[in-house]
Amino acid sequence: LNALFPLVGSLRRALTIGLTSALLVHAGFYLAYAARAVVYPFGLDYGEGTVWNQAMLMFGPDIANDLSHPPFVVFNYTPFYHLLVRAFAAVGFDSLYAGRAISLAALIATCGLVGAITYRGLGERHARTARIAGAAVAVLMPVTYQPVQEWAMQMRTDMLGCALSAAGIFLAIGARARVVALSGAVLVFVLAVYTKQTEISAPAAA
């Protein structure tokens, strides 16, 4: 039985390396595909047009327009994402491409934050190599989820909300009982809710 333990350990390491490598290759292919999708000149989903229209009208007089005549726009999201899109558009970026780029950058940030949370959560009770392996898998896992794959290359509010929620969790874990640091986490959680009003699970968990 004792002779089997080294074999089991070697098999576990091989499986970990194989899984991580497969996830890394998958993430690379996806990010290359998503980067091309960001500058695709036509709509990827009908919802993009709604968000784009909202971003262009949200900070003008039409935000409180009478819905009995055009433009018939319902502002169904909170405004932080739209504000970022407008900021990029104001300095010359195409607003559609900027909106998609924000989503893709938010995915990358979310993956990094999930990895950092995992590394910190494993704690000193685990070997450093195990913490790195766990964090690496955690970084790469979100890219395997179909909703994330779709949202991260579209002009949508979802991924920015996820990134801000993950940032709030990361800050809250590090803050512990320190009021100033915890206030930073609260601010990020507020921005998440002002990106998408349903982003309440992360602050509730924190």
Side-chain angles (χ1 to χ4, degrees):
L1 185 61
N2 289 337
L4 291 176
F5 286 136
L7 180 61
V8 171
S10 298
L11 181 61
R12 185 171 58 186
R13 283 192 294 273
L15 286 173
T16 301
I17 293 171
L19 172 63
T20 307
S21 299
L23 288 172
L24 185 61
V25 170
H26 175 271
F29 277 116
Y30 170 76
L31 290 174
Y33 175 79
R36 292 194 301 271
V38 164
V39 293
Y40 181 67
F42 305 107
L44 296 171
D45 181 85
Y46 80 95
E48 286 190 310
T50 302
V51 175
W52 192 359
N53 197 27
Q54 291 170 352
M56 295 301 100
L57 298 176
M58 182 171 279
F59 303 99
D62 292 319
I63 192 171
N65 194 35
D66 182 359
L67 288 179
S68 64
H69 60 82
F72 302 108
V73 181
V74 176
F75 297 92
N76 54 329
Y77 295 119
T78 40
F80 185 61
Y81 174 85
H82 306 78
L83 182 63
L84 283 181
V85 171
R86 288 290 295 268
F88 280 105
V91 295
F93 289 96
D94 181 276
S95 52
L96 177 61
Y97 297 168
R100 290 173 177 168
I102 289 169
S103 294
L104 186 57
L107 168 64
I108 295 169
T110 300
C111 290
L113 288 163
V114 169
I117 291 167
T118 302
Y119 185 86
R120 178 177 286 175
L122 288 172
E124 298 296 336
R125 63 186 179 278
H126 296 286
R128 187 168 181 269
T129 52
R131 297 170 72 188
I132 292 173
V137 172
V139 165
L140 298 169
M141 280 299 292
V143 186
T144 67
Y145 304 143
Q146 182 180 353
V148 172
Q149 292 172 358
E150 294 178 359
W151 296 341
M153 57 187 182
Q154 294 182 19
M155 188 175 191
R156 297 178 61 116
T157 63
D158 305 84
M159 286 314 306
L160 181 60
C162 289
L164 291 168
S165 293
I169 289 287
F170 178 77
L171 292 172
I173 291 171
R176 299 187 184 275
R178 292 175 294 176
V179 174
V180 173
L182 190 59
S183 298
V186 170
L187 175 61
V188 174
F189 283 139
V190 170
L191 289 177
V193 173
Y194 270 84
T195 300
K196 191 168 186 179
Q197 62 271 28
T198 55
E199 294 289 337
I200 58 173
S201 57

